[in-house]
Amino acid sequence: MTPPTRGFLGRRPTDVDPARIPPGQHVTAGFPVLSAGPTPHTPLDTWTFTIRGAVSRPVSWTWDELCALPSRTVTRDIHCVTKWSKLDTTWTGVSLDTVLAAVTTRARHALAFCDGGYTTNLPIADLTGGKAWIAYSFDSAPLDPQHGGPARLLVPHLYFWKSAKWVRGLELLDDDVPGFWERYGYHNYGDPWREERYSGD
Ligand SMILES: Nc1nc2c(c(=O)[nH]1)N[C@H]1C(S)=C(S)[C@@H](COP(=O)(O)O)O[C@H]1N2
Ligand SMILES: [Mo]
């Protein structure tokens, strides 16, 4: 007898290599939307991505300039602190290595800032070395506004709250400053493999 199919469309839990699922997470085939506020709609002709703060000189890219930078398409698993993981998500964007190469800094911390006021803090070491992107496309289509379009951070090795939607830039900092959720008790770093969900974990 065929056991009844339960759960999500497509991938059944038994199809998933458990080694890909961080502790306490379950796989979803959907793409939940988690936003702390309304979806901003910034016109692309006024949009910029800026690196400022502890830099010798701030640098900005317009939308067209960002899109003209070398891009990569990557497929990664993403993990939300609310316990869903989504496997094999495909994004296109510009590596943070590319934009950070344009500034001179001795800072070790960054605070990503966004339209709408959201912030999240990351060590610069977690933004460099081919680990993080400014993503403007998901599944070969322009990134949906509710998922952060026109552009968001993609930092898939950390919980997904670090992947700031509607990102507009990085403030580089000599001293770490907690972002929006980090101030509300989320873990400062957020490694899903160590279940760093809340401060104290
Ligand atoms: N600007 C901004 N970025 C954000 C958020 C937000 O509220 N505002 N939520 C974070 C959280 S908690 C998660 S889990 C992911 C959700 O991304 P999604 O809505 O595309 O699934 O975005 C992160 N980035
Ligand atoms: Mo989240």
Side-chain angles (χ1 to χ4, degrees), residues 46-67:
T46 59
W47 188 97
T48 49
F49 185 89
T50 299
I51 303 180
R52 65 187 191 202
V55 292
S56 46
R57 187 176 302 138
V59 53
S60 286
W61 292 260
T62 65
W63 178 254
D64 289 343
E65 287 167 345
L66 186 89
C67 293

Side-chain angles (χ1 to χ4, degrees), residues 120-136:
T120 188
N121 57 315
L122 304 114
I124 292 175
D126 286 82
L127 295 174
T128 50
K131 294 193 289 289
W133 294 268
I134 306 165
Y136 46 67

Side-chain angles (χ1 to χ4, degrees), residues 85-156:
S85 291
K86 186 170 173 58
L87 304 185
D88 295 323
T89 61
T90 301
W91 308 80
T92 302
V94 174
S95 171
L96 266 293
D97 290 302
T98 303
V99 289
L100 283 165
V103 297
T104 305
T105 185
R106 291 160 70 184
R108 292 195 293 119
H109 304 277
L111 189 67
F113 58 90
C114 304
D115 285 320
Y118 184 86
T119 56
T120 188
N121 57 315
L122 304 114
I124 292 175
D126 286 82
L127 295 174
T128 50
K131 294 193 289 289
W133 294 268
I134 306 165
Y136 46 67
S137 164
F138 177 79
D139 261 356
S140 310
L143 183 57
D144 191 313
Q146 63 182 355
H147 286 300
R152 75 180 299 164
L153 290 189
L154 174 66
V155 192

Side-chain angles (χ1 to χ4, degrees), residues 31-36 80 84 114 118 146-147 152 160-161 163-166 181:
F31 196 169
V33 172
L34 283 110
S35 302
C80 175
W84 56 267
C114 304
Y118 184 86
Q146 63 182 355
H147 286 300
R152 75 180 299 164
F160 209 36
W161 87 77
S163 292
K165 303 196 284 189
W166 316 299
W181 283 121

